[in-house]
Amino acid sequence: MPTPERTSIGEIVGEAARILETGGPAAVTMQAVAGAVGVKAPSLYKRVRDREALLGLVGAAAADDLTRLLDDAGDDLGALLTAFRRFAHARPEAFRLLFTATVDADSLAATSVPVLRATAAAVGDEQALPAARLLTAWATGFLMMELAGAFRLGGDLDEAFAYGVRHLVASLVPAQDAERPAQGS
Amino acid sequence: MPTPERTSIGEIVGEAARILETGGPAAVTMQAVAGAVGVKAPSLYKRVRDREALLGLVGAAAADDLTRLLDDAGDDLGALLTAFRRFAHARPEAFRLLFTATVDADSLAATSVPVLRATAAAVGDEQALPAARLLTAWATGFLMMELAGAFRLGGDLDEAFAYGVRHLVASLVPAQDAERPAQGS
DNA sequence: ACCTGAACACCGTTCAAGT
DNA sequence: ACCTGAACACCGTTCAAGT
């Protein structure tokens, strides 16, 4: 007689994400995750290939969450980048995992869709891709460095972030002109 | 009678860095490092507190190497950022470690000295700090995303990097004007 | 069809005992 | 003063045996 399922892949990934954020990657042991979902470690292998794959799933789920947050932020570039930073602050371990674990490429790519939409609205389709890359690369690096404590030379980091946003958004406006012939209307 | 030293902290960190780059963080086991320096694992604890501290030392050494490379690149911002990218390509695991492990704060901070010198030369002392933060944050994010395979939408990445460098450096010039009264000389 | 105990290989770390 | 074997706790993973 088939044993009833005592957990699910969704619950497993969710608990792994919770443990990750609480104790860092080292705390995400198969035994800890299994215990959190009320099962023994070997049972996890019915739903996930191995620990690395589980971390990949946690990263993919985090990417999906981030995509949703960015989507909700709309087309205002400042709001978009602020939502990005809020996510990194709220879930720093998950954020790091996006660039550390082997995350499903499609989930990772989906993250840039709302950014592309916003940059297209701001500077036109022509320059949307390089503009999106510029903004996401800068924000990613800023947050990685902020989380690593690499910003040591004085100053409020909130202000530094806002400064960067203003500077970069302003720098993109000339790129919009390139879309139209020259000093277009 | 005292046993002669069979290794040194420098050799240990060096071998750990080599193993890290070859096999990733998981390959840096105390046994693997000990074997590489011709000793048994317990002996490592004479020179290093634990594995996490060893990884921190590897990160600090990488930061020192990076600082030296950036120093050699001089004050040209393009050359500086290209040297940054070359380092990340040559030693991707060490580069990631800078933002992942608990690296000595001073070693990490020293990295930004050559960047500050270069931005000071380019935009003046006044704007040197925000300019340096802007450039290093962007480069860091670009490289993190590049190493993670997060750039999927077409295009040559060499070109994309060069584009970003040009765009950012150009965007910093107006900041230089702010240093002088208005539409100065 | 899912779950588990037992087992295996491996890892980080400690420590008493060697030289 | 450094090195090691032995030991311990813990981890990832497999698998036969349960239900």
Side-chain angles (χ1 to χ4, degrees):
Chain A
M1 200 215 257
T3 306
E5 308 191 350
R6 231 168 279 183
T7 181
S8 66
I9 182 66
E11 191 191 13
I12 289 168
V13 171
E15 286 303 310
R18 198 182 50 73
I19 294 169
L20 171 72
E21 220 56 72
T22 304
V28 186
T29 66
M30 298 302 269
Q31 323 205 11
V33 175
V37 303
V39 110
K40 298 294 178 182
S43 296
L44 296 182
Y45 293 84
K46 282 283 159 184
R47 326 209 186 258
V48 83
R49 202 183 61 251
D50 55 20
R51 181 175 178 273
E52 189 186 338
L54 173 56
L55 288 176
L57 291 177
V58 172
D64 294 348
D65 292 344
L66 175 57
T67 299
R68 215 166 299 119
L69 285 174
L70 295 179
D71 243 327
D72 293 349
D75 282 354
D76 181 82
L77 292 173
L80 199 78
L81 293 169
T82 300
F84 198 64
R85 185 159 180 249
R86 250 198 316 266
F87 177 83
H89 284 183
R91 301 173 60 186
E93 296 292 350
F95 179 75
R96 256 190 284 258
L97 202 64
L98 293 179
F99 305 96
T100 293
T102 45
V103 177
D104 171 62
D106 286 340
S107 290
L108 211 56
T111 286
S112 57
V113 171
V115 184
L116 276 167
R117 184 171 37 72
T119 55
V123 304
D125 290 343
E126 216 66 36
Q127 296 293 321
L129 180 57
R133 275 184 178 156
L134 184 83
L135 293 178
T136 58
W138 170 77
T140 296
F142 187 100
L143 292 168
M144 277 286 183
M145 294 178 71
E146 182 182 6
L147 293 180
F151 286 134
R152 311 192 59 231
L153 305 174
D156 183 352
L157 285 186
D158 289 1
E159 199 180 332
F161 189 81
Y163 171 91
V165 171
R166 280 198 308 275
H167 181 98
L168 286 175
V169 170
S171 80
L172 289 174
V173 178
Q176 186 175 24
D177 296 349
E179 219 191 350
R180 318 186 177 191
Q183 295 96 332
S185 78
Chain B
M1 198 213 254
T3 305
E5 307 191 349
R6 231 167 279 183
T7 183
S8 66
I9 182 66
E11 191 190 14
I12 289 168
V13 172
E15 286 302 312
R18 198 181 51 73
I19 294 169
L20 171 72
E21 220 55 73
T22 304
V28 186
T29 67
M30 298 303 269
Q31 324 206 10
V33 174
V37 303
V39 108
K40 297 294 179 183
S43 296
L44 295 182
Y45 293 84
K46 282 283 159 182
R47 326 212 186 255
V48 83
R49 202 182 61 251
D50 55 17
R51 181 175 178 273
E52 187 185 338
L54 174 55
L55 287 176
L57 291 176
V58 172
D64 294 349
D65 293 344
L66 175 58
T67 299
R68 215 167 298 119
L69 286 174
L70 295 178
D71 244 327
D72 293 349
D75 282 355
D76 180 82
L77 292 173
L80 199 79
L81 294 170
T82 300
F84 198 63
R85 185 159 180 250
R86 252 199 315 268
F87 177 83
H89 283 183
R91 302 173 59 186
E93 296 291 350
F95 179 75
R96 255 189 285 257
L97 203 63
L98 293 180
F99 305 96
T100 295
T102 44
V103 177
D104 171 63
D106 286 340
S107 289
L108 211 57
T111 286
S112 58
V113 172
V115 183
L116 276 168
R117 185 171 38 71
T119 54
V123 303
D125 289 342
E126 215 67 36
Q127 296 294 319
L129 180 57
R133 274 184 178 156
L134 184 83
L135 294 178
T136 58
W138 170 77
T140 295
F142 188 100
L143 292 167
M144 277 285 183
M145 294 178 71
E146 182 182 4
L147 293 180
F151 286 136
R152 311 193 58 233
L153 305 174
D156 184 351
L157 285 186
D158 290 1
E159 198 180 333
F161 190 81
Y163 171 91
V165 171
R166 281 198 308 276
H167 182 98
L168 287 175
V169 170
S171 80
L172 289 174
V173 178
Q176 186 175 23
D177 296 347
E179 217 190 349
R180 319 185 177 192
Q183 295 97 332
S185 83

